[in-house]
Amino acid sequence: MISILTKVFSGLILMLVGMPLLLAGTPAPEGAHLYIISPKNGETFSGPVTVTFGLKGMGVAPAGIDKAKTGHHHLLINVDKMPAMDKPLPSDDKHRHFGGGQTEVTLDLPKGEHSLQLVLGDMNHVPFNPPVISEKIMIMVK
């Protein structure tokens, strides 16, 4: 009886110790760099805006594909507070998923100032550890 309880207790301890490692996200390769190729910070547009994504030190693969050193893009539009970096990124009008491996999108944004930022997600839409995030840029639509 004690032997069974010891095994169960030991298993629970191992599970609790290992859980943060599972939630930590896929390790990011050293030197991985995510950026927005275009538009440039501060640009002004009078129509649809094509956003082109850039990535160095890693490759792009569709969501659900388990291939080392690859991920897929998520574009944050007008997001003030970063989403949790230890769980799948949300999917809505402000958090756009490009799980097919796309590297650009054309947006029809309303008039006004807009922020754009990229986050690279692993095969399960979870940001890498450490997160691979672009600088936030600001654009204007007139």
Side-chain angles (χ1 to χ4, degrees):
M1 178 78 161
I2 292 178
S3 176
I4 292 173
L5 288 174
T6 301
K7 288 179 183 178
V8 169
F9 183 71
S10 297
L12 286 173
I13 295 285
L14 286 173
M15 192 171 77
L16 289 173
V17 168
M19 190 64 70
L21 296 175
L22 292 174
L23 296 177
T26 303
E30 191 172 325
H33 178 66
L34 185 60
Y35 56 100
I36 296 174
I37 296 171
S38 66
K40 298 296 183 202
N41 190 36
E43 269 193 82
T44 299
F45 298 86
S46 59
V49 178
T50 298
V51 183
T52 306
F53 316 147
L55 178 64
K56 289 184 181 175
M58 293 182 72
V60 176
I65 302 296
D66 187 12
K67 186 173 180 186
K69 298 182 183 178
T70 67
H72 65 279
H73 300 297
H74 297 81
L75 180 63
L76 281 51
I77 304 168
N78 300 325
V79 172
D80 295 323
K81 183 181 175 195
M82 291 297 284
M85 293 290 122
D86 61 348
K87 54 182 87 164
L89 293 160
S91 180
D92 55 35
D93 287 342
K94 290 188 169 206
H95 305 84
R96 304 271 182 99
H97 287 240
F98 297 91
Q102 305 94 315
T103 58
E104 82 173 21
V105 63
T106 299
L107 303 172
D108 192 14
L109 298 169
K111 291 181 180 181
E113 190 173 52
H114 300 280
S115 68
L116 303 173
Q117 189 170 25
L118 292 168
V119 178
L120 198 68
D122 67 10
M123 65 180 279
N124 297 310
H125 303 282
V126 177
F128 285 82
N129 185 10
V132 180
I133 302 172
S134 75
E135 289 185 30
K136 183 184 282 191
I137 67 163
M138 302 301 293
I139 61 168
M140 177 65 77
V141 177
K142 294 211 176 225

